[in-house]
Amino acid sequence: MISRLLPSYLLFFAVSSTAYSKTLSEVINLHRQEIQTRSDFGVPRFSREQLQELQSGETVWQEQENTSGETLLSIAGRVQAPPEAIWVAILDDAHNGLSDRITEHQLTSSRSDRKRLYQHLSLPYPLSDRHWILEILSDTDLHQSSQGGVWRRAWRLDPQGEESLERLNQREKALIQSGVWTPENKGEWLILPDGNTCWVLYRGRFDIG
């Protein structure tokens, strides 16, 4: 199920390069404090074997479980493209047909640096559909403090939970479909430029209930 919810720009990882300068660990260490402070998931961690795979141009997928039993999905790889090009793709929150079960509507409370989306997931009978409101943030503070060394796009469920549906205007309420509110949907994209390429990391924690 998780793989069907992932954005289509994961295809970027298929265009990896083996001609590069710094390792992922070296690039992360350059901005360790900023990432630790701003990210909901802390500093990315990979095993020695995974770092070797990344260095050879592979894409690494991993699931890490914390002490509370929550699972964090992480995907990392090197992309042969400038950060601006990758960022434009990440800003496109549409699923581009990857999952025709998901519909979404941008809400009027969105701003230039913060987007709010109502999303609905249609599931096959006898499962109940799911829906939620996401807040999506372009972390301009992190970009500035890292002097362009870290680009971060993050999302989370509306902190007001299901009550946020009642706060929508009449036009937006008309777009709501029946469904069960999902208990967790939080994640981020990290772009770490390195010469003519970038390390790109996708991290997310999901529970559709």
Side-chain angles (χ1 to χ4, degrees), residues 136-169:
I136 306 173
L137 169 71
S138 296
D139 197 340
T140 55
D141 290 340
L142 176 57
H143 185 262
Q144 293 173 0
S145 66
S146 66
Q147 298 182 346
V150 184
W151 302 51
R152 177 173 177 262
R153 178 80 161 170
W155 67 91
R156 64 172 184 172
L157 289 175
D158 189 307
Q160 296 177 353
E162 196 166 6
E163 292 182 3
S164 61
L165 298 173
E166 298 300 321
R167 300 175 182 269
L168 301 178
N169 60 42

Side-chain angles (χ1 to χ4, degrees), residues 122-142:
S122 175
L123 295 176
Y125 179 85
L127 301 176
S128 298
D129 293 349
R130 301 294 193 266
H131 64 172
W132 56 87
I133 290 178
L134 287 183
E135 293 187 343
I136 306 173
L137 169 71
S138 296
D139 197 340
T140 55
D141 290 340
L142 176 57

Side-chain angles (χ1 to χ4, degrees), residues 6 38-41 72-73 134-137 152-157 184-190 201-206:
L6 297 181
R38 299 292 300 182
S39 173
D40 292 327
F41 308 117
L72 175 65
L73 171 67
L134 287 183
E135 293 187 343
I136 306 173
L137 169 71
R152 177 173 177 262
R153 178 80 161 170
W155 67 91
R156 64 172 184 172
L157 289 175
E184 185 165 28
N185 189 336
K186 177 190 293 185
E188 69 181 6
W189 285 94
L190 293 176
L201 292 85
Y202 174 97
R203 301 196 286 176
R205 186 171 289 137
F206 312 93

Side-chain angles (χ1 to χ4, degrees), residues 6-13 89-94 96 189 202:
L6 297 181
S8 62
Y9 17 85
L10 282 176
L11 295 175
F12 266 128
F13 293 129
I90 289 175
L91 289 178
D92 179 9
D93 298 298
N96 297 326
W189 285 94
Y202 174 97

Side-chain angles (χ1 to χ4, degrees), residues 13-165:
F13 293 129
V15 191
S16 57
S17 170
T18 56
Y20 37 72
S21 52
K22 297 185 180 67
T23 66
L24 177 56
S25 290
E26 290 172 336
V27 176
I28 289 176
N29 285 335
L30 290 174
H31 307 287
R32 176 173 293 273
Q33 186 58 49
E34 292 104 326
I35 295 174
Q36 181 64 41
T37 301
R38 299 292 300 182
S39 173
D40 292 327
F41 308 117
V43 176
R45 295 181 291 109
F46 297 93
S47 68
R48 179 176 298 179
E49 292 75 15
Q50 290 171 330
L51 290 171
Q52 290 174 345
E53 292 176 10
L54 287 165
Q55 193 68 6
S56 67
E58 299 294 324
T59 297
V60 168
W61 296 59
Q62 68 171 338
E63 293 185 353
Q64 298 169 312
E65 188 172 301
N66 62 19
T67 56
S68 302
E70 299 172 321
T71 299
L72 175 65
L73 171 67
S74 299
I75 309 171
R78 183 180 284 276
V79 179
Q80 194 170 9
E84 295 84 0
I86 303 170
W87 185 252
V88 168
I90 289 175
L91 289 178
D92 179 9
D93 298 298
H95 292 271
N96 297 326
L98 184 66
S99 175
D100 55 7
R101 293 184 178 276
I102 294 179
T103 58
E104 68 180 22
H105 302 282
Q106 183 170 332
L107 303 177
T108 56
S109 52
S110 298
R111 306 196 307 262
S112 59
D113 63 338
R114 186 183 302 268
K115 182 186 292 186
R116 297 184 74 239
L117 294 177
Y118 169 76
Q119 296 183 327
H120 181 274
L121 172 63
S122 175
L123 295 176
Y125 179 85
L127 301 176
S128 298
D129 293 349
R130 301 294 193 266
H131 64 172
W132 56 87
I133 290 178
L134 287 183
E135 293 187 343
I136 306 173
L137 169 71
S138 296
D139 197 340
T140 55
D141 290 340
L142 176 57
H143 185 262
Q144 293 173 0
S145 66
S146 66
Q147 298 182 346
V150 184
W151 302 51
R152 177 173 177 262
R153 178 80 161 170
W155 67 91
R156 64 172 184 172
L157 289 175
D158 189 307
Q160 296 177 353
E162 196 166 6
E163 292 182 3
S164 61
L165 298 173

